[in-house]
Amino acid sequence: MAVVRGKKICRFCENKINYINYKDERILKRFTNERGKIIPRRVTGNCAMHQRKLTTAIKRGRVLAIVAFESESYR
Amino acid sequence: MRIYETTFVINPQTDDSTIDKHVKDVQEIIASSNGKIIHESAMGTRRLAYEIKGLTQGYYASFLYEAESDVLGKLDRHFKINEAYIRDLTIRIEADPEDVIKQIDPFGKHGSGRDNDNDDNSSNRRGHSRDSSRDDDKKEEAKAEAPAEEKPAEKAVEAEEKTEEAPAESADSSDSSDEKKEL
């Protein structure tokens, strides 16, 4: 039973965001999973340009301890 | 002259005047290189995503400015010498500074915002209600600057997101509760 979904739209394009703020924890968190990994754009539907910018922003945020490099270790 | 943005984290375990002095020092260094500050923001004390030198909180401040490139060396030296700075990051801004200011931290306008945001890291995704209230703040700011066409679009996005994430989220929460039992 396949779930049919419409084409995903890049949320940054939709809201006309040209610059992704690496200090905005809310945005960075939204695009990382619980372990702190960056969610691939095949899942989020971001366009290539914004995924690139987002990746840079998340990595900058990690340096500044705004988002974690990794969290919640599983055993 | 180029546009840079410097963000730094100060050890918050001192009194406010010392923190202010550290912020001012950076400002002076920028000024000494013909710097012109376009925007400054103090995000205040917030929880660090991971421990640095045994600290769990840090005072965040940031400057967006235009200056000669020799400022980079000076800042780097300053941050390295002084142990009060626990992290610093200077980046060159190639985007339009207007865009950058629009996206700059939502707390900036509400003054220093110290101790506002401490327990925010504790919940990963369940803070939807809190997030939405913050969204509202942001929307109000956006209204002042741009026409309010964003609002319905963003709502749609939120809704879509919720439907998408709902199954995953429930799975996550059950996972995490299991884990807690184990612990």
Side-chain angles (χ1 to χ4, degrees), chain A residues 5 8-9 11 14-27 29-30 32-34 39 43 60 62-69 72-75, chain B residues 5 7 9 43 46 48-50 52 60 62 87 89 91 93 99-100 103-105 117 121 124-125 131 134-135 138 149-150 153 157-158 161 164 172 179 183:
Chain A
R5 282 193 182 139
K8 290 172 195 153
I9 306 161
R11 285 165 201 171
E14 205 174 12
N15 293 320
K16 298 201 173 88
I17 292 170
N18 299 321
Y19 170 84
I20 300 172
N21 181 14
Y22 58 92
K23 284 164 287 177
D24 192 341
E25 188 190 335
R26 204 169 46 88
I27 290 182
K29 275 252 168 93
R30 185 177 292 176
T32 53
N33 66 11
E34 293 79 9
I39 299 173
V43 176
R60 283 171 179 165
R62 284 175 180 169
V63 171
L64 288 169
I66 290 165
V67 284
F69 282 98
E72 288 183 33
S73 56
Y74 295 99
R75 278 159 294 145
Chain B
E5 185 178 31
T7 310
V9 188
M43 282 175 279
R46 37 188 292 175
L48 302 173
Y50 49 90
I52 305 172
Y60 283 78
S62 157
R87 275 285 190 282
L89 176 75
I91 58 165
I93 300 284
D99 283 343
V100 178
Q103 294 302 323
I104 268 177
D105 70 293
D117 202 34
N121 286 10
N124 279 342
R125 275 189 185 172
D131 283 359
R134 231 182 252 160
D135 270 349
K138 222 177 179 183
E149 30 174 66
E150 254 185 36
V157 170
E158 292 268 344
E161 198 187 346
E164 252 177 55
D172 288 348
E179 223 179 31
L183 290 175

Side-chain angles (χ1 to χ4, degrees), chain B residues 24-120:
Chain B
K24 213 162 244 176
D25 283 348
V26 175
Q27 210 170 351
E28 275 163 18
I29 290 170
I30 292 168
S32 74
S33 296
N34 282 333
K36 208 173 71 196
I37 289 174
I38 302 169
H39 189 273
E40 72 172 279
S41 63
M43 282 175 279
T45 304
R46 37 188 292 175
R47 174 187 275 253
L48 302 173
Y50 49 90
E51 245 180 53
I52 305 172
K53 293 180 188 169
L55 296 170
T56 55
Q57 292 192 335
Y59 181 86
Y60 283 78
S62 157
F63 290 108
L64 178 68
Y65 56 94
E66 187 177 22
E68 302 288 353
S69 58
D70 65 334
V71 74
L72 303 177
K74 289 184 199 171
L75 281 175
D76 196 35
R77 198 177 136 75
H78 178 71
F79 286 133
K80 272 187 182 166
I81 287 175
N82 201 323
E83 292 206 334
Y85 302 98
I86 53 182
R87 275 285 190 282
D88 65 273
L89 176 75
T90 302
I91 58 165
R92 191 174 137 198
I93 300 284
E94 299 189 48
D96 183 2
E98 289 290 312
D99 283 343
V100 178
I101 292 169
K102 241 185 244 173
Q103 294 302 323
I104 268 177
D105 70 293
F107 320 114
K109 275 194 175 172
H110 311 304
S112 71
R114 273 176 208 175
D115 298 325
N116 264 349
D117 202 34
N118 290 337
D119 50 0
D120 232 52

Side-chain angles (χ1 to χ4, degrees), chain B residues 152-167:
Chain B
E154 207 164 28
K155 255 184 192 166
V157 170
E158 292 268 344
E160 180 201 329
E161 198 187 346
K162 263 177 196 167
T163 52
E164 252 177 55
E165 278 179 1

